[in-house]
Amino acid sequence: MDNSIPYKTYLAEDELPDSWYNVRADMKKKPAPLVNPATLKPCTATDLEAVFCADLVKQELDDQNPLFPIPGDIRDFYRMFRPSPLIRAYFLEKALGTPARIFYKFEGNNTSGSHKLNSAVAQAYYAKAQGLKGVTTETGAGQWGTALSMACAFFGLDCRVYMVKCSYEQKPFRREVMRTYGATVTPSPSMTTRIGEKINREHPGTTGSLGCAISEAVEAAVSNPGYRYVLGSVLNQVLLHQSIIGLEAHTAFRKLGIMPDVVIGCAGGGSNLGGLIAPFMGEKLRGERDCRFVAVEPESCPSLTRGRYAYDYCDTGRICPLAKMYTLGADFIPSANHAGGLRYHGMSPVLSELYDQGMMEAVSVKQTDVFAAAQYFARTEGILPAPESSHAIRAAIDEAVKCREEGRAETILFGLTGTGYFDMTAYQAYNDHSMSDYIPTDDELEQSFAKLPKA
Ligand SMILES: *Cc1c(COP(=O)(O)O)cnc(C)c1O
């Protein structure tokens, strides 16, 4: 190992960023506003406050202010698991024989097992500060529900989670973690909401989708006094909270006296990638330093690489605001791939706009190639990665191999968003060679695009 760069770079607790960074402030052309589905006009704060916490609505709508101070209680909570380490992947580099320097920012060092806790604690804090009784949400793979349960337990809030039915049945341990932290977990679609009943009636035996669970959670929030709905990705506020990942990485690189040439992250709704790239993208937007950014998505759910940039519904029940984003259509149900956290039909409006402006690249990768990368990484670097995170590993390995072939010594940073202990059925399918690669056809996508709102 090169002794000038440690294997792990930790920041001290007092080096935790004291503000989140809002990349929208540095974008000349801003992301398009959310639109009210009833009036088809941009959502006002009043529209959004019926569903979301008031302080979070302020963050959602603010595209001017670059820095939001992190409240002391949230910073204190962050100290339980942050700063997270920036790790130099020496063993992976050696195994690949690449001249590239590979770094990863590891977000799996907390019980929820992912970066989702960074936003969960912020959202729970603001709900509590507003005097609310509780929050409702949906969870697909289960990481977001787990993170939110932990945050709600800490602040003494009730937490009601609508969990996509197939995950509820396949991942009983995730459910038990949530219940241990005091959350109520309901399989979705359920018979406890009007929209859930309707979906069950129209699609008997359905195993649910993220879009359905969102509709149920929103209905539960607006029909229970003292409750609001919270969301773990896609929204501007979530990217803002996740900027903590990028800000810490930026500080760590500054201390090492180097900077990444390329930053890679997996993209489901875009929150970890948006957070990881934020300060580096800010430098690029302000013309201070150039850097490449790569979003990695599954070939089974290719919103950036094959989707349309259009206004679309965020949920199946069509009760949420419309967002302008790269989308596969709100009714698109991706095949049952094993990266549950990357199965959303849309993409963060911030990342969508940056991608549309050519500030960011996107690639899509095959599921079996992703698990080959996951296994290689586990055997070289020791950490058992989440399937979602392994999309970023795949692209980082491909980039490092290209560096070897072209004799380039670039510096690569990727986001390792979480650990894969609850995904062992997926690893089992890979180890048993029974994993398949489903890629939607152009026809299937066209059928879904035909249903996009005509607004
Ligand atoms: C949820 C999740 C993702 C994807 O969500 P983004 O909002 O795109 O970051 C990626 N990795 C893990 C481990 C997750 O839990």
Side-chain angles (χ1 to χ4, degrees):
M1 286 190 197
D2 158 13
N3 283 328
S4 67
I5 296 178
Y7 183 65
K8 283 199 181 97
T9 304
Y10 278 107
L11 303 180
E13 271 177 37
D14 63 6
E15 291 175 293
L16 254 177
D18 47 27
S19 298
W20 292 300
Y21 167 63
N22 177 16
V23 74
R24 286 170 289 162
D26 284 311
M27 292 170 69
K28 283 193 200 80
K29 181 163 177 257
K30 308 289 183 190
L34 294 171
V35 158
N36 181 325
T39 63
L40 296 182
K41 298 226 168 69
C43 285
T44 62
T46 317
D47 292 340
L48 293 173
E49 281 170 16
V51 180
F52 299 108
C53 305
D55 283 322
L56 294 167
V57 168
K58 282 201 201 93
Q59 297 178 353
E60 191 63 29
L61 296 177
D62 191 331
D63 58 16
Q64 300 297 326
N65 188 8
L67 295 175
F68 284 79
I70 304 174
D73 286 348
I74 300 178
R75 265 185 114 233
D76 285 346
F77 186 96
Y78 278 160
R79 287 158 70 179
M80 287 199 274
F81 65 106
R82 309 203 68 85
S84 74
L86 177 73
I87 304 175
R88 172 89 184 263
Y90 279 112
F91 300 111
L92 179 63
E93 289 171 17
K94 188 160 170 246
L96 294 171
T98 178
R101 293 188 288 201
I102 309 174
F103 291 84
Y104 56 97
K105 180 79 170 153
F106 181 47
E107 291 292 316
N109 259 335
N110 68 76
T111 293
S112 81
S114 83
H115 65 287
K116 298 237 169 44
L117 195 53
N118 298 330
S119 184
V121 58
Q123 298 196 43
Y125 168 85
Y126 289 114
K128 187 67 182 181
Q130 193 176 329
L132 297 175
K133 277 197 277 201
V135 291
T136 70
T137 198
E138 76 294 330
T139 197
Q143 289 97 317
W144 167 245
T146 307
L148 190 67
S149 317
M150 292 171 70
C152 285
F154 188 80
F155 288 113
L157 276 174
D158 186 34
C159 179
R160 301 190 184 170
V161 181
Y162 290 84
M163 185 169 188
V164 178
K165 197 181 272 170
C166 62
S167 298
Y168 182 89
E169 284 158 6
Q170 281 168 9
K171 297 191 169 183
F173 294 149
R174 273 263 179 230
R175 185 176 80 210
E176 278 336 297
V177 179
M178 288 183 254
R179 297 207 313 155
T180 301
Y181 284 96
T184 313
V185 189
T186 307
S188 166
S190 73
M191 298 301 273
T192 65
T193 63
R194 290 215 314 266
I195 186 75
E197 262 184 65
K198 178 166 177 279
I199 294 168
N200 271 314
R201 204 168 45 241
E202 289 170 5
H203 307 274
T206 176
T207 54
S209 72
L210 217 43
C212 296
I214 295 176
S215 301
E216 283 207 276
V218 172
E219 184 183 322
V222 298
S223 52
N224 282 297
Y227 283 76
R228 291 292 185 282
Y229 167 69
V230 294
L231 181 60
S233 185
V234 185
L235 296 176
N236 301 334
Q237 56 186 275
V238 184
L239 268 75
L240 176 71
H241 307 147
Q242 295 297 358
S243 69
I244 188 98
I245 306 173
L247 291 165
E248 285 181 7
H250 194 270
T251 306
F253 273 116
R254 237 185 10 238
K255 289 177 88 165
L256 296 175
I258 50 176
M259 278 291 154
D261 300 302
V262 52
V263 185
I264 299 170
C266 63
S271 73
N272 86 82
L273 178 63
L276 177 66
I277 69 176
F280 305 99
M281 180 61 87
E283 291 175 329
K284 180 165 170 146
L285 288 163
R286 295 189 302 270
E288 294 164 11
R289 200 184 73 88
D290 198 15
C291 185
R292 282 174 57 217
F293 304 99
V294 184
V296 192
E297 52 187 20
E299 283 196 350
S300 58
C301 193
S303 11
L304 285 171
T305 48
R306 292 175 70 200
R308 291 277 161 82
Y309 191 32
Y311 268 102
D312 192 12
Y313 294 95
C314 295
D315 62 321
T316 314
R318 312 191 160 196
I319 52 179
C320 292
L322 293 150
K324 188 177 181 198
M325 57 186 176
Y326 275 85
T327 178
L328 299 168
D331 289 328
F332 179 80
I333 309 249
S335 70
N337 76 60
H338 290 290
L342 305 183
R343 293 186 65 206
Y344 188 63
H345 66 274
M347 184 56 64
S348 137
V350 174
L351 291 190
S352 293
E353 181 54 35
L354 288 168
Y355 179 64
D356 198 59
Q357 291 177 16
M359 299 298 286
M360 192 179 89
E361 305 158 34
V363 295
S364 69
V365 289
K366 256 210 314 259
Q367 180 160 247
T368 46
D369 292 345
V370 166
F371 276 83
Q375 187 192 67
Y376 194 81
F377 186 80
R379 291 179 188 182
T380 49
E381 286 292 317
I383 296 173
L384 181 85
E388 292 88 351
S389 323
S390 305
H391 288 67
I393 299 175
R394 175 76 267 161
I397 290 178
D398 292 348
E399 181 74 21
V401 168
K402 218 186 305 157
C403 287
R404 179 182 72 207
E405 286 162 358
E406 295 166 6
R408 273 185 301 124
E410 66 181 21
T411 299
I412 301 169
L413 166 64
F414 74 88
L416 188 68
T417 51
T419 45
Y421 304 117
F422 286 106
D423 299 284
M424 296 325 289
T425 32
Y427 276 93
Q428 183 179 21
Y430 180 72
N431 292 331
D432 287 344
H433 309 288
S434 63
M435 180 173 275
S436 61
D437 288 307
Y438 185 78
I439 301 165
T441 64
D442 288 341
D443 271 359
E444 280 168 308
L445 293 183
E446 285 303 328
Q447 276 173 28
S448 185
F449 295 147
K451 286 186 249 165
L452 284 172
K454 305 279 179 285

